[in-house]
Amino acid sequence: MSITTARPNTLDAWLKRLESVRLSVPQEVKEDVRRALANGNKTVPEIAEVALQSPILSLVLLRESNRSQLGRENPAVSLEVALSRLGLGPTEYLLSALPSEAKEKYSPALSQLLLISEHAMAQANGLFGNTLARLRQEVRLSTLLFLAPVWPLAQAYPELWEEWEQRVLGNNEPAITVEQELLGVPLLDLCLTLAERWSLPAWVVDGYRLLVKDRRRLVKALHIAHNDAHPLQQQQRLDEDLPLRRWLTQPGNTILLANGLAVAAHQSWSNPHILRWQRLVGLYMHESLDHIQQVTHQAAAQHARQQFIPGLWHPAEALIWPWDARRLHSNKKAAPDTQSAAANNQTPGDGLDAWRRYCAELVKTPSSFSNGIQLTACARDALAATGLPRLLLLTPDADQTVLMAQGIHGLPEAAKGLQLPINNHPLLRKLMSDPAQLRITPENSAQFRPHLPGNLQALFPHSHMVLRSMGNKGRVSMLAIIDNGGEPFSERDQQAINKTVTCIERGVTSYAQRLT
């Protein structure tokens, strides 16, 4: 990496540099807040809700509120309190003095970090919004601002975030080693000092103090959380360590938990880091890992629908990837590019090793899939790994009346939107009534092909096809349509299909058992 300007390399130098960085507020949010302040019918909570659209504005308002004597003695912990202390007039004056620009002009690194902070707030809402309803505003603001000490770093030195992201998340290099090389100081030390200087909420400061000065307590909790299959043993170990049990019940821990989840999910949903945080959330909430994963996936998907920003990565996109896929791969050696593969309708990895990996994931008990989309994606990749060039995987709707394309390989993009009415085509009805296989050859093509939907015949114009329906206990849940590029299927091809279908059906059974 080429750096053209000198960077600080001591804690004091970094503090001086980062405190001089002025972060701008999105122009559209600035105007929204100005209109809310001018509207005499708006309450302080409603104005605070508008201001929360911008993490940077939330940070500025909180810091300004905590500069006063009262703020230093009793720091504000929610935007409502901060706005009430500032007063609406001074708030409007402060707003007019802030630099503003379009969100699109932020550095990509800053935009990505702000999205991670907003995703963390969404996770906190989903996980703790009901149990901590009375503290909802405090939890939201503290969660949103936990990564605030890193924002000016990302704005002033965006290349550092990109390198840290690749080396720590992609290459799995130790964070402390990478940070010492890039910054000259541990990043957490820098964050803790800035959080204290900026009078960020106590829960934010406590989270960094835990990571910097009391990591042993966190490690003990993670060790207990790892034994999630035996909740009674977990409780016994907590009963033996009363200080740890009391600490674990503190609501301020939710801020670190939500941000830990959001940062870990930035890489994948199956890496060891996010599993540690999910298990720790389960220990905190007395819930199973399955339940926590379901809630975190739902929160991510909902946030992505609300806050999709073109050009930025949102972890919800990875929920439809193969379960072991990673967004970032090590650049120390050649690795499959999952994103490029997905864009080209190719499975990441190929050959026998890839096939074994996908089948092992399918037959795992209990099922590791959190939703049917993940199961279908893995089934598609397992079939593609057999080496067959073209396939379409369809699933029925809830009423079993329409087949919808859920996975393609080697087919045009238009195939992704394919829908086939089942009742209009007796051949499809037959295949969807019970798991079965139909192998079309030149000898029987005239008998069966006319009974296929016309758009399906257009996608598969050849006389060699396999249609295979799969399911659980007689109920069909998938239909695979495969061809060999116009060539006949060899005995080896048919064996590969049969073995893969067996794995898929075991995966369907395991997944169904998980839902019961």
Side-chain angles (χ1 to χ4, degrees):
M1 183 180 67
S2 175
I3 303 296
T4 58
T5 57
R7 293 199 304 259
N9 60 6
T10 65
L11 183 59
D12 288 341
W14 272 114
L15 293 173
K16 182 179 179 180
R17 175 70 183 94
L18 296 183
E19 292 202 307
S20 70
V21 176
R22 295 196 72 190
L23 298 174
S24 57
V25 176
Q27 183 64 43
E28 59 271 27
V29 177
K30 189 174 181 178
E31 294 302 321
D32 288 345
V33 176
R34 182 177 284 119
R35 283 192 292 269
L37 289 168
N39 186 342
N41 295 323
K42 291 287 187 182
T43 64
V44 171
E46 289 173 332
I47 297 171
E49 196 66 29
V50 177
L52 269 174
Q53 295 178 70
S54 168
I56 292 174
L57 179 58
S58 303
L59 173 64
V60 171
L61 293 174
L62 184 77
R63 289 186 64 188
E64 190 64 27
S65 169
N66 289 341
R67 291 185 199 276
S68 66
Q69 182 66 29
L70 175 60
R72 288 193 293 270
E73 294 174 356
N74 184 21
V77 293
S78 72
L79 272 192
E80 293 178 24
V81 174
L83 287 170
S84 297
R85 290 180 180 178
L86 285 171
L88 300 187
T91 298
E92 188 169 4
Y93 177 79
L94 173 64
L95 191 65
S96 64
L98 291 175
S100 61
E101 62 181 351
K103 275 186 178 181
E104 293 75 17
K105 294 188 177 180
Y106 286 175
S107 73
L110 176 60
S111 296
Q112 188 67 72
L113 275 168
L114 292 175
L115 184 62
I116 293 174
S117 293
E118 291 171 332
H119 180 211
M121 186 170 69
Q123 290 294 341
N125 284 339
L127 288 164
F128 316 118
N130 292 330
T131 56
L132 298 176
R134 295 179 62 185
L135 297 171
R136 181 172 179 266
Q137 297 304 328
E138 291 88 339
V139 169
R140 291 177 74 199
L141 183 63
S142 294
T143 304
L144 184 66
L145 299 184
F146 187 81
L147 294 177
V150 189
W151 298 344
L153 181 65
Q155 179 65 8
Y157 301 96
E159 72 278 358
L160 292 182
W161 161 253
E162 295 167 4
E163 185 161 352
W164 184 94
E165 180 188 37
Q166 176 58 53
R167 293 177 62 181
V168 176
L169 300 181
N171 299 357
N172 291 317
E173 297 181 43
I176 189 68
T177 303
V178 175
E179 291 158 11
Q180 194 67 38
E181 179 182 331
L182 297 179
L183 306 175
V185 295
L187 181 59
L188 291 175
D189 288 353
L190 182 57
C191 290
L192 173 58
T193 307
L194 282 174
E196 292 172 335
R197 284 197 179 193
W198 293 351
S199 298
L200 293 186
W203 289 345
V204 175
V205 176
D206 289 345
Y208 281 118
R209 284 178 180 158
L210 177 72
L211 293 172
V212 174
K213 301 179 179 180
D214 198 9
R215 187 177 288 267
R216 187 170 181 271
R217 175 180 292 180
L218 178 61
V219 171
K220 288 168 67 176
L222 287 169
H223 279 312
I224 295 175
H226 187 73
N227 191 26
D228 60 292
H230 302 93
L232 182 59
Q233 294 179 13
Q234 288 181 320
Q235 189 58 50
Q236 289 172 343
R237 291 185 63 183
L238 287 174
D239 291 341
E240 294 168 358
D241 193 335
L242 293 181
L244 181 64
R245 190 179 73 177
R246 283 193 294 268
W247 168 80
L248 191 61
T249 62
Q250 295 175 7
N253 290 326
T254 59
I255 280 69
L256 179 60
L257 293 173
N259 277 274
L261 285 170
V263 173
H266 188 66
Q267 166 64 332
S268 80
W269 289 101
S270 61
N271 68 77
H273 301 297
I274 196 167
L275 292 176
R276 290 191 193 104
W277 288 112
Q278 287 172 332
R279 288 189 175 107
L280 188 55
V281 172
L283 183 65
Y284 174 84
M285 298 184 68
H286 304 287
E287 294 282 1
S288 68
L289 177 62
D290 286 350
H291 174 78
I292 298 302
Q293 288 180 328
Q294 182 180 20
V295 174
T296 54
H297 296 169
Q298 289 174 345
Q302 182 177 1
H303 181 251
R305 285 194 294 269
Q306 297 169 347
Q307 294 287 343
F308 175 74
I309 302 175
L312 297 183
W313 165 251
H314 197 294
E317 297 178 53
L319 289 172
I320 61 172
W321 287 6
W323 191 236
D324 59 350
R326 299 287 187 272
R327 185 178 72 89
L328 296 169
H329 295 285
S330 174
N331 59 11
K332 290 183 175 180
K333 59 182 180 180
D337 185 339
T338 306
Q339 285 181 298
S340 298
N344 293 316
N345 300 326
Q346 300 294 322
T347 180
D350 51 53
L352 185 59
D353 289 341
W355 180 83
R356 286 171 174 163
R357 187 170 67 250
Y358 293 126
C359 285
E361 194 69 29
L362 285 165
V363 303
K364 188 181 295 183
T365 304
S367 175
S368 62
F369 302 111
S370 299
N371 52 58
I373 294 175
Q374 292 176 354
L375 172 61
T376 305
C378 192
R380 174 205 63 202
D381 292 338
L383 285 167
T386 62
L388 294 169
R390 289 160 40 90
L391 70 90
L392 172 66
L393 201 59
L394 304 110
T395 59
D397 64 357
D399 298 327
Q400 297 277 314
T401 59
V402 176
L403 281 168
M404 298 175 291
Q406 291 290 351
I408 65 173
H409 173 73
L411 297 175
E413 285 290 311
K416 289 183 177 179
L418 187 67
Q419 295 190 10
L420 305 176
I422 298 174
N423 294 333
N424 296 354
H425 303 281
L427 187 55
L428 292 183
R429 283 207 309 271
K430 176 65 175 175
L431 286 167
M432 296 304 294
S433 62
D434 284 296
Q437 173 175 297
L438 171 63
R439 185 168 174 177
I440 296 179
T441 65
E443 288 74 24
N444 63 15
S445 178
Q447 177 185 356
F448 292 113
R449 280 188 63 83
H451 298 287
L452 295 176
N455 46 3
L456 195 59
Q457 293 186 49
L459 275 177
F460 294 89
H462 306 297
S463 297
H464 291 281
M465 293 173 59
V466 168
L467 294 88
R468 183 71 178 255
S469 55
M470 299 165 278
N472 171 45
K473 296 181 178 179
R475 181 180 174 86
V476 174
S477 56
M478 295 185 205
L479 173 64
I481 303 175
I482 309 166
D483 80 4
N484 199 20
E487 297 297 319
F489 290 94
S490 67
E491 188 61 31
R492 179 262 176 202
D493 294 333
Q494 187 60 60
Q495 289 177 1
I497 292 172
N498 292 342
K499 290 180 179 179
T500 308
V501 167
T502 299
C503 293
I504 293 172
E505 291 188 322
R506 287 178 60 184
V508 171
T509 301
S510 179
Y511 178 69
Q513 290 172 347
R514 176 176 177 170
L515 298 179
T516 57

